[in-house]
Amino acid sequence: MSMKTTHRSSSIISSSTGESSTQHLAEIVVTAAQSNQKSSNIVQLRLSNLKLHGRENDIKLLRGKLRELAKKKDVNAAEENNNTNLILVSGTCGTGKSALIQKGLGKDASKIGCTFTSGKFDAKLRSPLSAFSDAMTNLARYITVEHEKKGKSPSGGLPIATLIRDQIQNEFDDDDVEQLRRVLPGCAELLGARSSSLFGPSSEAEAAVPHRSASVSKLDSLKRHSGKESISRVHYAIRRLLKVICSYLKGVVLFIDDLQWSDIATLELLKSIVLDREIPSLLIVGAYREDEVPE
């Protein structure tokens, strides 16, 4: 049987003993918990064996969170209950963290109308926002391809991709769209075309191809341009984008794997998303290896 530590109350949060990225990750959990003291939207699971057998309670908990996510949209929950849920799964290498998440969330998401998207950090490619960018690319591809195949939205109107694109075009200014296209190049089609640019001309082909490394140079460009103010603006633009996307989908599960190889930029972004009370029906899931956290 697996040994797990599960805390649903925001008053008690367990964290790993690692430093650097994982310590920063623990700070995200604590900050989010303190910000949402009346909610139970923080869960941490710690795994210790290699088998899924005996983890029925863990799987049941994950599926329960998935049902809660879908129910929020069905009952049009009040804005104050729109807190983004956060689930962290930790353990040593090979303890089945990803398999547990896939079984508890990935396989069941589509069955109840939710969307599961994921990105994975690479030990050899320490690229800022790379896993988050991959997850957003997969989400954008699902919206623009799968939903377009289905035709009209559930309400009988235009396809969801068209509705999202139109709302972005109407509500986002040119600078914000350009920043999003550069930081999240895989979302270019969903964002739509804009003519202006903060950083000089860029080809449509460059923006349309979702290279994992693209977000690195783009984020560095933003840092050089305006420093912290520009990064904060990018975070805000990404949260606004998620708000638009999630408002048209029944529920979104965004899974980031191998967070032990993540960068501070990603962790700061995840923190800002978790603390944003205006993003509806979003579940952030992270997995990391406790034994491979950089010192």
Side-chain angles (χ1 to χ4, degrees), residues 68-74 77 81-85 114-115 242 245-247 249-254 278-284:
E68 288 177 14
L69 185 70
K71 185 178 179 181
K72 275 186 178 182
K73 203 60 173 285
D74 289 339
N81 293 324
N82 276 342
N83 300 324
T84 297
N85 286 289
C114 292
T115 303
L242 283 171
I245 291 174
C246 293
S247 67
L249 300 177
K250 187 172 184 179
V252 175
V253 179
L254 197 155
E278 297 185 356
I279 303 175
S281 303
L282 175 63
L283 172 60
I284 299 288

Side-chain angles (χ1 to χ4, degrees), residues 45-71:
L45 302 178
R46 181 169 289 149
L47 309 182
S48 63
N49 66 30
L50 306 179
K51 300 178 181 179
L52 278 177
H53 178 71
R55 292 180 179 167
E56 290 81 4
N57 289 337
D58 295 341
I59 293 171
K60 183 178 180 180
L61 184 148
L62 294 178
R63 289 174 175 170
K65 283 294 181 180
L66 191 60
R67 288 192 297 270
E68 288 177 14
L69 185 70
K71 185 178 179 181

Side-chain angles (χ1 to χ4, degrees), residues 7-13 31-43 65 68 72 80-86 274 277:
H7 297 304
R8 303 191 195 187
S9 169
S10 60
S11 61
I12 304 177
I13 299 294
T31 304
Q34 291 173 344
S35 176
N36 300 291
Q37 291 181 358
K38 295 182 179 180
S39 69
S40 57
N41 66 326
I42 310 295
V43 173
K65 283 294 181 180
E68 288 177 14
K72 275 186 178 182
E80 59 266 24
N81 293 324
N82 276 342
N83 300 324
T84 297
N85 286 289
L86 172 66
V274 171
R277 301 172 67 88

Side-chain angles (χ1 to χ4, degrees), residues 7-278:
H7 297 304
R8 303 191 195 187
S9 169
S10 60
S11 61
I12 304 177
I13 299 294
S14 69
S15 62
S16 73
T17 58
E19 299 294 329
S20 188
S21 294
T22 299
Q23 183 178 31
H24 199 78
L25 188 60
E27 291 174 1
I28 292 177
V29 181
V30 173
T31 304
Q34 291 173 344
S35 176
N36 300 291
Q37 291 181 358
K38 295 182 179 180
S39 69
S40 57
N41 66 326
I42 310 295
V43 173
Q44 180 155 345
L45 302 178
R46 181 169 289 149
L47 309 182
S48 63
N49 66 30
L50 306 179
K51 300 178 181 179
L52 278 177
H53 178 71
R55 292 180 179 167
E56 290 81 4
N57 289 337
D58 295 341
I59 293 171
K60 183 178 180 180
L61 184 148
L62 294 178
R63 289 174 175 170
K65 283 294 181 180
L66 191 60
R67 288 192 297 270
E68 288 177 14
L69 185 70
K71 185 178 179 181
K72 275 186 178 182
K73 203 60 173 285
D74 289 339
V75 300
N76 294 317
E79 183 175 327
E80 59 266 24
N81 293 324
N82 276 342
N83 300 324
T84 297
N85 286 289
L86 172 66
I87 297 177
L88 295 176
V89 181
S90 63
T92 57
C93 178
T95 49
K97 300 177 294 296
S98 300
L100 176 69
I101 292 167
Q102 288 291 343
K103 185 169 184 178
L105 297 171
K107 292 183 178 180
D108 286 359
S110 61
K111 295 179 182 178
I112 61 174
C114 292
T115 303
F116 182 91
T117 185
S118 64
K120 182 182 179 73
F121 279 104
D122 189 328
K124 297 180 180 179
L125 181 64
R126 299 297 181 94
S127 305
L129 300 181
S130 60
F132 184 84
S133 180
D134 284 352
M136 291 299 293
T137 296
N138 292 332
L139 179 58
R141 183 181 297 119
Y142 170 79
I143 293 170
T144 55
V145 176
E146 297 300 323
H147 273 283
E148 289 287 354
K149 286 180 181 178
K150 297 176 183 179
K152 296 181 178 180
S153 65
S155 60
L158 295 171
I160 288 178
T162 302
L163 294 173
I164 291 174
R165 192 178 297 114
D166 288 348
Q167 185 170 342
I168 291 171
Q169 293 290 314
N170 291 332
E171 296 183 6
F172 286 56
D173 62 34
D174 289 351
D175 289 348
D176 286 340
V177 171
E178 182 66 19
Q179 287 183 333
L180 287 170
R181 286 169 62 87
R182 290 178 176 273
V183 176
L184 304 175
C187 296
E189 183 179 353
L190 187 63
L191 293 169
R194 292 289 177 112
S195 58
S196 65
S197 172
L198 278 174
F199 309 100
S202 60
S203 68
E204 289 296 317
E206 176 188 341
V209 179
H211 298 295
R212 293 196 79 200
S213 60
S215 62
V216 185
S217 60
K218 305 308 181 184
L219 185 65
D220 289 341
S221 177
L222 289 171
K223 287 180 178 178
R224 290 194 299 270
H225 186 260
S226 300
K228 292 183 178 180
E229 181 179 351
S230 183
I231 297 300
S232 296
R233 183 170 181 178
V234 171
H235 285 184
Y236 180 58
I238 291 174
R239 296 200 309 271
R240 288 178 65 202
L241 175 61
L242 283 171
K243 181 180 178 181
V244 172
I245 291 174
C246 293
S247 67
Y248 287 101
L249 300 177
K250 187 172 184 179
V252 175
V253 179
L254 197 155
F255 171 40
I256 305 296
D257 202 0
D258 283 329
L259 277 170
Q260 75 278 357
W261 295 320
S262 65
D263 55 284
I264 299 302
T266 295
L267 297 179
E268 286 287 359
L269 173 60
L270 293 179
K271 177 179 178 179
S272 71
I273 292 172
V274 171
L275 294 178
D276 194 316
R277 301 172 67 88
E278 297 185 356

